[in-house]
Amino acid sequence: MMDRKNGQTAAKDTTRDGASERVVAELALAIHEHRLQPGAKLSEDEVGAIYGVSRTVVRAALQQLSHDRLVELRRNRGAYVAQPSVREAREVFEARALLEPRTARSAAERVTEADIVALRRHIADEHAALDRGEPGRALHLSGLFHIEIARIANQATIEDFIRQLIARSSLIIALYWQRRTAMCESHAHDALLNALASGNGDLAEDLMKSHLLDLLSSLDLRNVNSAPRTLQEALGG
Amino acid sequence: MMDRKNGQTAAKDTTRDGASERVVAELALAIHEHRLQPGAKLSEDEVGAIYGVSRTVVRAALQQLSHDRLVELRRNRGAYVAQPSVREAREVFEARALLEPRTARSAAERVTEADIVALRRHIADEHAALDRGEPGRALHLSGLFHIEIARIANQATIEDFIRQLIARSSLIIALYWQRRTAMCESHAHDALLNALASGNGDLAEDLMKSHLLDLLSSLDLRNVNSAPRTLQEALGG
DNA sequence: CAACACATAATTGTATACAACACTGTCGCA
DNA sequence: TGCGACAGTGTTGTATACAATTATGTGTTG
């Protein structure tokens, strides 16, 4: 293990200390991009070996992720990528419906030229990822679009909540997405962007609301398998 | 230190493992009841000695508290009870205004007899604490009243957010409360309880909204001392 | 006397060691 | 053969040791 650590030291020297933050970021990204599937076990030794840190650091990272509900900690049994239940899925979108439309309105009232440019960039990246056949990355970028809007609204507290909700949404989509509908949401993002650019708060609020409803309705939340999936299913897939 | 640990083992045997949760609870309670003032330093060794656990456990607890923004972690410099800025204070109440009125409406639509009984109990406890001259405890109970309403609304995700916001509100009140207005909010809680008991969602939502506005207006948020208070002031007080 | 530099002490960041618990497979018994 | 007890193995929970960083106090120097 020491060898591996030394092998990664070169790449780590930018991160000086606070090694757990890097692990948090890497794991969160892997979950967001669906490289880690819901239910996957995150063994402390294994994760530590991969990133060249001790279990102490890994534990801190896992605890942090568990607070965002990306990871579920079971006492004496380890950490697993969370598997939101159908009920949790509904709750998350309920909360988003409560927070995001109003936030979009605030954003429309405060948005600057630079913000618009950044948002256009996000959308372009999203399309590019889709064209490259990286739906996981596209989904991640789609989430960042929402977070960017929250940032523009300039309410750090609400932004944090939205960030958590979007992270969980990523897991929910991994579990409950039904392929039927194509990934058409980029259209919704375009419309939102236009509303923001024109400073139309009413429209932005409405568009966000219906966008979230669309998203929710594209999920299959009939509680067919509301029970947590077994590890075997996750590993076999 | 070992002696102390053994000395507490008897009291700890109910908590089997997960020792950090107990530390989290104790520290959070101390903060909520204003026994720990904003800005107070939480040394790992010291906290560990008090609760008879190692720094490992204390660190886990502090990290958890920092995620709820009750504690601020500064790299290589330790953990301090958070000192929300004026801006954060406004943001917290903005978020509460977004979440709680709608939640109160939901609660009114779902409330049961047992819930009403529990809420009455909360209010009674709150009054009792005030009469006993324990304003810190009364404030804590007042927060629990809000959390109870969120619980009744049966949206665990939103409940968690509200829980965080109320925890932070406790710190905000510790910092920015202006004595002028008496602790009259119990009245507001009574009115809310009646609205809930009669199943009047509209009224509950309105009452919650104005209750939060009252609370906000009872704070002194002119940024007289928006800069974080010095440790000396905290210690000298 | 003020200001800087350095040595010292104290505290946090990380790694490792040991203990406690959970899971797995085997053996014995009905 | 089926079920239960038990030991073995591996993983997590906690404590401690060491390294790195910061804060403090002292002495020197302009």
Side-chain angles (χ1 to χ4, degrees):
Chain A
M1 192 196 339
M2 256 344 198
D3 306 336
R4 174 157 295 175
K5 176 187 174 182
N6 291 336
Q8 295 213 349
T9 301
K12 216 175 63 173
D13 58 6
T14 57
T15 316
R16 291 294 290 139
D17 57 9
S20 77
E21 288 175 16
R22 182 174 62 96
V23 178
V24 167
E26 299 255 10
L27 286 176
L29 190 61
I31 293 174
H32 288 149
E33 294 185 348
H34 295 183
R35 299 201 312 271
L36 277 171
Q37 300 205 355
K41 165 140 198 185
L42 300 172
S43 153
E44 297 179 356
D45 274 330
E46 205 168 341
V47 174
I50 288 172
Y51 295 115
V53 294
S54 76
R55 281 180 50 219
T56 307
V57 173
V58 175
R59 272 179 85 78
L62 291 175
Q63 194 191 333
Q64 205 166 325
L65 289 168
S66 99
H67 203 293
D68 290 335
R69 311 257 188 176
L70 257 64
V71 159
E72 186 184 349
L73 294 181
R74 299 182 213 172
R75 181 163 322 287
N76 288 322
R77 303 173 92 196
Y80 301 80
V81 177
Q83 303 181 119
S85 67
V86 168
R87 173 177 177 158
E88 282 177 70
R90 292 192 196 282
E91 284 186 350
V92 165
F93 277 89
E94 193 90 26
R96 290 185 66 172
L98 215 49
L99 292 174
E100 293 203 64
R102 286 271 205 100
T103 301
R105 171 191 289 273
S106 295
E109 292 165 357
R110 298 163 182 274
V111 70
T112 69
E113 263 315 308
D115 294 329
I116 296 292
V117 171
L119 286 173
R120 278 199 208 287
R121 216 193 153 74
H122 268 287
I123 291 185
D125 288 349
E126 196 180 327
H127 281 229
L130 263 184
D131 292 345
R132 277 199 312 273
E134 297 175 1
R137 174 139 191 86
L139 184 67
H140 174 55
L141 290 167
S142 156
L144 286 183
F145 183 82
H146 285 248
I147 291 171
E148 186 69 8
I149 288 177
R151 189 192 59 74
I152 293 168
N154 202 35
Q155 292 272 348
T157 299
I158 293 173
E159 181 187 337
D160 271 357
F161 288 158
I162 290 176
R163 196 183 299 271
Q164 280 182 49
L165 291 171
I166 283 168
R168 295 176 71 182
S169 294
S170 172
L171 280 173
I172 289 164
I173 288 170
L175 280 173
Y176 300 111
W177 181 267
Q178 50 184 359
R179 296 274 147 210
R180 216 167 315 171
T181 52
M183 188 91 75
C184 58
E185 50 179 328
S186 352
H187 251 350
H189 286 186
D190 282 328
L192 252 170
L193 174 57
N194 289 335
L196 290 176
S198 65
N200 190 336
D202 285 336
L203 183 57
E205 183 170 348
D206 282 346
L207 284 174
M208 180 62 87
K209 191 182 289 187
S210 59
H211 175 40
L212 289 173
L213 285 177
D214 276 356
L215 217 60
L216 179 58
S217 72
S218 76
L219 301 178
D220 180 8
L221 293 183
R222 297 162 305 185
N223 55 356
V224 240
N225 35 17
S226 130
R229 283 155 181 70
T230 60
L231 286 181
Q232 288 80 347
E233 185 173 1
L235 295 171
Chain B
M1 195 199 326
M2 254 343 198
D3 306 338
R4 175 158 294 176
K5 177 190 173 181
N6 292 336
Q8 294 213 351
T9 301
K12 215 174 66 172
D13 57 7
T14 58
T15 317
R16 290 293 290 136
D17 54 11
S20 76
E21 289 175 14
R22 181 174 62 97
V23 178
V24 167
E26 298 256 10
L27 287 175
L29 190 61
I31 293 174
H32 287 149
E33 294 186 348
H34 295 183
R35 300 201 311 270
L36 278 172
Q37 298 204 357
K41 165 140 198 187
L42 300 171
S43 153
E44 297 180 353
D45 273 331
E46 205 166 342
V47 174
I50 289 171
Y51 295 115
V53 294
S54 76
R55 281 180 51 220
T56 307
V57 172
V58 174
R59 273 179 85 77
L62 291 175
Q63 194 191 332
Q64 204 166 326
L65 289 168
S66 99
H67 202 294
D68 289 335
R69 312 256 189 177
L70 258 64
V71 159
E72 187 183 348
L73 295 180
R74 299 183 214 171
R75 183 166 319 288
N76 287 322
R77 302 173 91 196
Y80 300 80
V81 177
Q83 303 181 122
S85 67
V86 169
R87 171 177 178 157
E88 282 176 71
R90 292 193 197 281
E91 285 187 347
V92 165
F93 277 90
E94 193 90 26
R96 289 185 66 172
L98 216 49
L99 292 174
E100 292 203 64
R102 286 271 205 100
T103 301
R105 171 191 290 274
S106 296
E109 293 165 356
R110 298 164 182 273
V111 71
T112 68
E113 261 315 308
D115 294 329
I116 296 292
V117 171
L119 286 173
R120 278 199 205 289
R121 217 193 151 74
H122 267 287
I123 291 184
D125 289 350
E126 196 181 329
H127 282 230
L130 263 184
D131 291 346
R132 278 200 309 275
E134 298 175 0
R137 174 141 191 85
L139 184 66
H140 174 54
L141 290 167
S142 156
L144 286 183
F145 182 83
H146 286 248
I147 290 170
E148 186 71 6
I149 289 176
R151 189 194 58 74
I152 293 169
N154 203 34
Q155 293 271 351
T157 300
I158 293 173
E159 181 187 337
D160 271 356
F161 287 159
I162 290 176
R163 197 183 299 273
Q164 280 183 50
L165 291 171
I166 284 169
R168 294 175 72 181
S169 293
S170 172
L171 280 173
I172 289 164
I173 288 170
L175 279 172
Y176 300 111
W177 182 268
Q178 50 183 359
R179 295 274 147 208
R180 215 167 316 171
T181 52
M183 187 93 73
C184 58
E185 49 178 331
S186 352
H187 252 351
H189 285 187
D190 281 327
L192 252 170
L193 174 57
N194 289 334
L196 290 175
S198 65
N200 190 336
D202 285 336
L203 182 57
E205 182 170 349
D206 281 347
L207 285 173
M208 180 63 87
K209 190 183 291 185
S210 59
H211 174 39
L212 288 173
L213 285 177
D214 276 357
L215 218 59
L216 179 59
S217 71
S218 76
L219 301 178
D220 180 6
L221 293 184
R222 299 163 303 186
N223 55 356
V224 242
N225 34 17
S226 132
R229 282 154 181 70
T230 60
L231 287 180
Q232 287 80 346
E233 185 173 2
L235 294 172

PDB file of all heavy atoms in Angstrom, chain A residues 16 41 44 55 59 76 78, chain D residues 11-15 20-21:
ATOM      1  N   ARG A  16      -1.950  19.344  -0.846  1.00  0.00           N
ATOM      2  CA  ARG A  16      -1.297  19.500   0.467  1.00  0.00           C
ATOM      3  C   ARG A  16      -1.984  18.754   1.592  1.00  0.00           C
ATOM      4  O   ARG A  16      -1.768  17.573   1.744  1.00  0.00           O
ATOM      5  CB  ARG A  16      -1.162  20.978   0.813  1.00  0.00           C
ATOM      6  CG  ARG A  16      -0.176  21.666  -0.069  1.00  0.00           C
ATOM      7  CD  ARG A  16       1.243  21.168   0.154  1.00  0.00           C
ATOM      8  NE  ARG A  16       1.729  21.612   1.444  1.00  0.00           N
ATOM      9  CZ  ARG A  16       2.441  20.853   2.254  1.00  0.00           C
ATOM     10  NH1 ARG A  16       2.753  19.640   1.894  1.00  0.00           N
ATOM     11  NH2 ARG A  16       2.865  21.319   3.402  1.00  0.00           N
ATOM     12  N   LYS A  41     -20.644  -1.638  -2.554  1.00  0.00           N
ATOM     13  CA  LYS A  41     -19.993  -1.538  -1.261  1.00  0.00           C
ATOM     14  C   LYS A  41     -18.700  -0.739  -1.391  1.00  0.00           C
ATOM     15  O   LYS A  41     -17.927  -0.937  -2.325  1.00  0.00           O
ATOM     16  CB  LYS A  41     -19.678  -2.928  -0.717  1.00  0.00           C
ATOM     17  CG  LYS A  41     -18.700  -2.887   0.434  1.00  0.00           C
ATOM     18  CD  LYS A  41     -19.025  -3.846   1.528  1.00  0.00           C
ATOM     19  CE  LYS A  41     -18.301  -3.454   2.790  1.00  0.00           C
ATOM     20  NZ  LYS A  41     -18.469  -4.405   3.862  1.00  0.00           N
ATOM     21  N   GLU A  44     -13.464   0.246   3.269  1.00  0.00           N
ATOM     22  CA  GLU A  44     -12.511   1.268   3.676  1.00  0.00           C
ATOM     23  C   GLU A  44     -11.104   0.936   3.197  1.00  0.00           C
ATOM     24  O   GLU A  44     -10.401   1.801   2.671  1.00  0.00           O
ATOM     25  CB  GLU A  44     -12.538   1.421   5.197  1.00  0.00           C
ATOM     26  CG  GLU A  44     -13.888   1.898   5.702  1.00  0.00           C
ATOM     27  CD  GLU A  44     -13.916   2.019   7.209  1.00  0.00           C
ATOM     28  OE1 GLU A  44     -12.929   1.662   7.867  1.00  0.00           O
ATOM     29  OE2 GLU A  44     -14.936   2.488   7.727  1.00  0.00           O
ATOM     30  N   ARG A  55      -7.215   4.453   6.268  1.00  0.00           N
ATOM     31  CA  ARG A  55      -8.642   4.301   6.540  1.00  0.00           C
ATOM     32  C   ARG A  55      -9.193   5.521   7.278  1.00  0.00           C
ATOM     33  O   ARG A  55     -10.362   5.875   7.115  1.00  0.00           O
ATOM     34  CB  ARG A  55      -8.874   3.044   7.377  1.00  0.00           C
ATOM     35  CG  ARG A  55      -8.836   1.765   6.575  1.00  0.00           C
ATOM     36  CD  ARG A  55      -9.078   0.581   7.481  1.00  0.00           C
ATOM     37  NE  ARG A  55     -10.245   0.781   8.315  1.00  0.00           N
ATOM     38  CZ  ARG A  55     -10.341   0.418   9.577  1.00  0.00           C
ATOM     39  NH1 ARG A  55      -9.326  -0.177  10.164  1.00  0.00           N
ATOM     40  NH2 ARG A  55     -11.439   0.630  10.254  1.00  0.00           N
ATOM     41  N   ARG A  59     -12.599   7.056   6.099  1.00  0.00           N
ATOM     42  CA  ARG A  59     -13.756   7.120   6.990  1.00  0.00           C
ATOM     43  C   ARG A  59     -14.332   8.521   7.041  1.00  0.00           C
ATOM     44  O   ARG A  59     -15.553   8.707   7.014  1.00  0.00           O
ATOM     45  CB  ARG A  59     -13.351   6.683   8.401  1.00  0.00           C
ATOM     46  CG  ARG A  59     -13.450   5.204   8.620  1.00  0.00           C
ATOM     47  CD  ARG A  59     -13.020   4.851  10.024  1.00  0.00           C
ATOM     48  NE  ARG A  59     -14.081   4.981  10.984  1.00  0.00           N
ATOM     49  CZ  ARG A  59     -15.053   4.094  11.134  1.00  0.00           C
ATOM     50  NH1 ARG A  59     -15.107   3.056  10.345  1.00  0.00           N
ATOM     51  NH2 ARG A  59     -15.980   4.265  12.036  1.00  0.00           N
ATOM     52  N   ASN A  76     -21.113  -1.224  11.807  1.00  0.00           N
ATOM     53  CA  ASN A  76     -20.316  -2.457  11.792  1.00  0.00           C
ATOM     54  C   ASN A  76     -20.442  -3.247  10.499  1.00  0.00           C
ATOM     55  O   ASN A  76     -20.004  -4.390  10.430  1.00  0.00           O
ATOM     56  CB  ASN A  76     -20.721  -3.382  12.957  1.00  0.00           C
ATOM     57  CG  ASN A  76     -20.249  -2.858  14.278  1.00  0.00           C
ATOM     58  OD1 ASN A  76     -19.154  -2.304  14.369  1.00  0.00           O
ATOM     59  ND2 ASN A  76     -21.058  -2.994  15.296  1.00  0.00           N
ATOM     60  N   GLY A  78     -20.335  -1.500   7.222  1.00  0.00           N
ATOM     61  CA  GLY A  78     -19.698  -0.840   6.106  1.00  0.00           C
ATOM     62  C   GLY A  78     -20.515   0.238   5.427  1.00  0.00           C
ATOM     63  O   GLY A  78     -21.624   0.560   5.844  1.00  0.00           O
TER      64      GLY A  78
ATOM     65  P    DT D  11     -12.140  -7.826   3.867  1.00  0.00           P
ATOM     66  OP1  DT D  11     -12.482  -7.837   2.434  1.00  0.00           O
ATOM     67  OP2  DT D  11     -10.745  -7.593   4.295  1.00  0.00           O
ATOM     68  O5'  DT D  11     -13.063  -6.764   4.599  1.00  0.00           O
ATOM     69  C5'  DT D  11     -14.439  -7.057   4.830  1.00  0.00           C
ATOM     70  C4'  DT D  11     -14.959  -6.219   5.976  1.00  0.00           C
ATOM     71  O4'  DT D  11     -14.553  -6.818   7.241  1.00  0.00           O
ATOM     72  C3'  DT D  11     -14.414  -4.783   5.993  1.00  0.00           C
ATOM     73  O3'  DT D  11     -15.472  -3.864   5.958  1.00  0.00           O
ATOM     74  C2'  DT D  11     -13.636  -4.689   7.286  1.00  0.00           C
ATOM     75  C1'  DT D  11     -14.238  -5.777   8.141  1.00  0.00           C
ATOM     76  N1   DT D  11     -13.308  -6.311   9.162  1.00  0.00           N
ATOM     77  C2   DT D  11     -13.676  -6.299  10.482  1.00  0.00           C
ATOM     78  O2   DT D  11     -14.743  -5.882  10.866  1.00  0.00           O
ATOM     79  N3   DT D  11     -12.739  -6.809  11.332  1.00  0.00           N
ATOM     80  C4   DT D  11     -11.486  -7.303  11.006  1.00  0.00           C
ATOM     81  O4   DT D  11     -10.734  -7.720  11.870  1.00  0.00           O
ATOM     82  C5   DT D  11     -11.173  -7.277   9.611  1.00  0.00           C
ATOM     83  C7   DT D  11      -9.840  -7.794   9.147  1.00  0.00           C
ATOM     84  C6   DT D  11     -12.077  -6.791   8.758  1.00  0.00           C
ATOM     85  P    DT D  12     -15.157  -2.292   5.938  1.00  0.00           P
ATOM     86  OP1  DT D  12     -16.078  -1.694   4.962  1.00  0.00           O
ATOM     87  OP2  DT D  12     -13.709  -2.073   5.838  1.00  0.00           O
ATOM     88  O5'  DT D  12     -15.626  -1.860   7.407  1.00  0.00           O
ATOM     89  C5'  DT D  12     -16.936  -2.194   7.849  1.00  0.00           C
ATOM     90  C4'  DT D  12     -17.042  -2.064   9.356  1.00  0.00           C
ATOM     91  O4'  DT D  12     -16.003  -2.855   9.995  1.00  0.00           O
ATOM     92  C3'  DT D  12     -16.856  -0.631   9.890  1.00  0.00           C
ATOM     93  O3'  DT D  12     -17.846  -0.387  10.884  1.00  0.00           O
ATOM     94  C2'  DT D  12     -15.461  -0.655  10.473  1.00  0.00           C
ATOM     95  C1'  DT D  12     -15.363  -2.076  10.982  1.00  0.00           C
ATOM     96  N1   DT D  12     -13.978  -2.578  11.147  1.00  0.00           N
ATOM     97  C2   DT D  12     -13.565  -3.007  12.387  1.00  0.00           C
ATOM     98  O2   DT D  12     -14.272  -2.998  13.368  1.00  0.00           O
ATOM     99  N3   DT D  12     -12.269  -3.455  12.432  1.00  0.00           N
ATOM    100  C4   DT D  12     -11.365  -3.516  11.383  1.00  0.00           C
ATOM    101  O4   DT D  12     -10.230  -3.944  11.558  1.00  0.00           O
ATOM    102  C5   DT D  12     -11.864  -3.046  10.115  1.00  0.00           C
ATOM    103  C7   DT D  12     -10.970  -3.061   8.919  1.00  0.00           C
ATOM    104  C6   DT D  12     -13.125  -2.607  10.059  1.00  0.00           C
ATOM    105  P    DG D  13     -17.884   1.048  11.613  1.00  0.00           P
ATOM    106  OP1  DG D  13     -19.286   1.377  11.870  1.00  0.00           O
ATOM    107  OP2  DG D  13     -17.030   1.978  10.845  1.00  0.00           O
ATOM    108  O5'  DG D  13     -17.169   0.772  13.003  1.00  0.00           O
ATOM    109  C5'  DG D  13     -17.948   0.287  14.094  1.00  0.00           C
ATOM    110  C4'  DG D  13     -17.209   0.513  15.412  1.00  0.00           C
ATOM    111  O4'  DG D  13     -15.919  -0.140  15.344  1.00  0.00           O
ATOM    112  C3'  DG D  13     -16.922   1.975  15.746  1.00  0.00           C
ATOM    113  O3'  DG D  13     -17.157   2.196  17.135  1.00  0.00           O
ATOM    114  C2'  DG D  13     -15.461   2.159  15.375  1.00  0.00           C
ATOM    115  C1'  DG D  13     -14.885   0.783  15.632  1.00  0.00           C
ATOM    116  N9   DG D  13     -13.765   0.439  14.763  1.00  0.00           N
ATOM    117  C8   DG D  13     -13.706   0.531  13.392  1.00  0.00           C
ATOM    118  N7   DG D  13     -12.561   0.139  12.900  1.00  0.00           N
ATOM    119  C5   DG D  13     -11.813  -0.228  14.017  1.00  0.00           C
ATOM    120  C6   DG D  13     -10.490  -0.735  14.117  1.00  0.00           C
ATOM    121  O6   DG D  13      -9.691  -0.952  13.204  1.00  0.00           O
ATOM    122  N1   DG D  13     -10.125  -0.982  15.436  1.00  0.00           N
ATOM    123  C2   DG D  13     -10.940  -0.767  16.518  1.00  0.00           C
ATOM    124  N2   DG D  13     -10.429  -1.053  17.712  1.00  0.00           N
ATOM    125  N3   DG D  13     -12.178  -0.299  16.443  1.00  0.00           N
ATOM    126  C4   DG D  13     -12.549  -0.056  15.164  1.00  0.00           C
ATOM    127  P    DT D  14     -17.014   3.647  17.752  1.00  0.00           P
ATOM    128  OP1  DT D  14     -17.960   3.734  18.860  1.00  0.00           O
ATOM    129  OP2  DT D  14     -17.032   4.642  16.663  1.00  0.00           O
ATOM    130  O5'  DT D  14     -15.551   3.618  18.369  1.00  0.00           O
ATOM    131  C5'  DT D  14     -15.227   2.611  19.328  1.00  0.00           C
ATOM    132  C4'  DT D  14     -13.756   2.670  19.674  1.00  0.00           C
ATOM    133  O4'  DT D  14     -12.972   2.255  18.533  1.00  0.00           O
ATOM    134  C3'  DT D  14     -13.220   4.049  20.064  1.00  0.00           C
ATOM    135  O3'  DT D  14     -12.891   3.997  21.443  1.00  0.00           O
ATOM    136  C2'  DT D  14     -11.997   4.277  19.173  1.00  0.00           C
ATOM    137  C1'  DT D  14     -11.720   2.889  18.615  1.00  0.00           C
ATOM    138  N1   DT D  14     -11.128   2.845  17.260  1.00  0.00           N
ATOM    139  C2   DT D  14      -9.890   2.305  17.097  1.00  0.00           C
ATOM    140  O2   DT D  14      -9.230   1.874  18.016  1.00  0.00           O
ATOM    141  N3   DT D  14      -9.425   2.288  15.803  1.00  0.00           N
ATOM    142  C4   DT D  14     -10.079   2.745  14.675  1.00  0.00           C
ATOM    143  O4   DT D  14      -9.562   2.684  13.572  1.00  0.00           O
ATOM    144  C5   DT D  14     -11.387   3.296  14.919  1.00  0.00           C
ATOM    145  C7   DT D  14     -12.203   3.824  13.767  1.00  0.00           C
ATOM    146  C6   DT D  14     -11.844   3.315  16.181  1.00  0.00           C
ATOM    147  P    DA D  15     -12.285   5.298  22.204  1.00  0.00           P
ATOM    148  OP1  DA D  15     -12.730   5.253  23.603  1.00  0.00           O
ATOM    149  OP2  DA D  15     -12.532   6.486  21.392  1.00  0.00           O
ATOM    150  O5'  DA D  15     -10.728   4.961  22.176  1.00  0.00           O
ATOM    151  C5'  DA D  15     -10.299   3.686  22.640  1.00  0.00           C
ATOM    152  C4'  DA D  15      -8.801   3.516  22.433  1.00  0.00           C
ATOM    153  O4'  DA D  15      -8.536   3.381  21.017  1.00  0.00           O
ATOM    154  C3'  DA D  15      -7.951   4.670  22.941  1.00  0.00           C
ATOM    155  O3'  DA D  15      -6.922   4.162  23.784  1.00  0.00           O
ATOM    156  C2'  DA D  15      -7.382   5.310  21.669  1.00  0.00           C
ATOM    157  C1'  DA D  15      -7.416   4.172  20.669  1.00  0.00           C
ATOM    158  N9   DA D  15      -7.620   4.594  19.282  1.00  0.00           N
ATOM    159  C8   DA D  15      -8.664   5.320  18.797  1.00  0.00           C
ATOM    160  N7   DA D  15      -8.609   5.546  17.508  1.00  0.00           N
ATOM    161  C5   DA D  15      -7.442   4.912  17.117  1.00  0.00           C
ATOM    162  C6   DA D  15      -6.809   4.776  15.868  1.00  0.00           C
ATOM    163  N6   DA D  15      -7.290   5.296  14.732  1.00  0.00           N
ATOM    164  N1   DA D  15      -5.647   4.083  15.814  1.00  0.00           N
ATOM    165  C2   DA D  15      -5.166   3.563  16.950  1.00  0.00           C
ATOM    166  N3   DA D  15      -5.673   3.627  18.186  1.00  0.00           N
ATOM    167  C4   DA D  15      -6.820   4.320  18.194  1.00  0.00           C
ATOM    168  P    DA D  20       6.339  14.921   8.188  1.00  0.00           P
ATOM    169  OP1  DA D  20       6.531  14.590   6.771  1.00  0.00           O
ATOM    170  OP2  DA D  20       7.500  15.284   9.043  1.00  0.00           O
ATOM    171  O5'  DA D  20       5.265  16.086   8.297  1.00  0.00           O
ATOM    172  C5'  DA D  20       3.927  15.821   7.898  1.00  0.00           C
ATOM    173  C4'  DA D  20       3.050  17.030   8.203  1.00  0.00           C
ATOM    174  O4'  DA D  20       2.737  17.058   9.617  1.00  0.00           O
ATOM    175  C3'  DA D  20       3.697  18.378   7.876  1.00  0.00           C
ATOM    176  O3'  DA D  20       2.731  19.199   7.235  1.00  0.00           O
ATOM    177  C2'  DA D  20       4.092  18.922   9.236  1.00  0.00           C
ATOM    178  C1'  DA D  20       3.009  18.345  10.139  1.00  0.00           C
ATOM    179  N9   DA D  20       3.414  18.171  11.523  1.00  0.00           N
ATOM    180  C8   DA D  20       4.583  17.644  11.989  1.00  0.00           C
ATOM    181  N7   DA D  20       4.675  17.603  13.292  1.00  0.00           N
ATOM    182  C5   DA D  20       3.469  18.133  13.722  1.00  0.00           C
ATOM    183  C6   DA D  20       2.936  18.358  14.996  1.00  0.00           C
ATOM    184  N6   DA D  20       3.576  18.073  16.125  1.00  0.00           N
ATOM    185  N1   DA D  20       1.696  18.909  15.075  1.00  0.00           N
ATOM    186  C2   DA D  20       1.050  19.189  13.943  1.00  0.00           C
ATOM    187  N3   DA D  20       1.455  19.029  12.681  1.00  0.00           N
ATOM    188  C4   DA D  20       2.676  18.483  12.643  1.00  0.00           C
ATOM    189  P    DT D  21       3.177  20.602   6.574  1.00  0.00           P
ATOM    190  OP1  DT D  21       2.595  20.627   5.222  1.00  0.00           O
ATOM    191  OP2  DT D  21       4.624  20.785   6.783  1.00  0.00           O
ATOM    192  O5'  DT D  21       2.399  21.660   7.467  1.00  0.00           O
ATOM    193  C5'  DT D  21       1.021  21.454   7.756  1.00  0.00           C
ATOM    194  C4'  DT D  21       0.617  22.280   8.955  1.00  0.00           C
ATOM    195  O4'  DT D  21       1.185  21.721  10.153  1.00  0.00           O
ATOM    196  C3'  DT D  21       1.103  23.733   8.894  1.00  0.00           C
ATOM    197  O3'  DT D  21      -0.019  24.588   8.738  1.00  0.00           O
ATOM    198  C2'  DT D  21       1.816  23.949  10.237  1.00  0.00           C
ATOM    199  C1'  DT D  21       1.374  22.764  11.079  1.00  0.00           C
ATOM    200  N1   DT D  21       2.374  22.304  12.083  1.00  0.00           N
ATOM    201  C2   DT D  21       2.041  22.324  13.422  1.00  0.00           C
ATOM    202  O2   DT D  21       0.966  22.688  13.829  1.00  0.00           O
ATOM    203  N3   DT D  21       3.048  21.883  14.271  1.00  0.00           N
ATOM    204  C4   DT D  21       4.308  21.446  13.911  1.00  0.00           C
ATOM    205  O4   DT D  21       5.112  21.081  14.752  1.00  0.00           O
ATOM    206  C5   DT D  21       4.591  21.463  12.501  1.00  0.00           C
ATOM    207  C7   DT D  21       5.926  21.012  12.006  1.00  0.00           C
ATOM    208  C6   DT D  21       3.619  21.883  11.659  1.00  0.00           C
TER     209       DT D  21
END
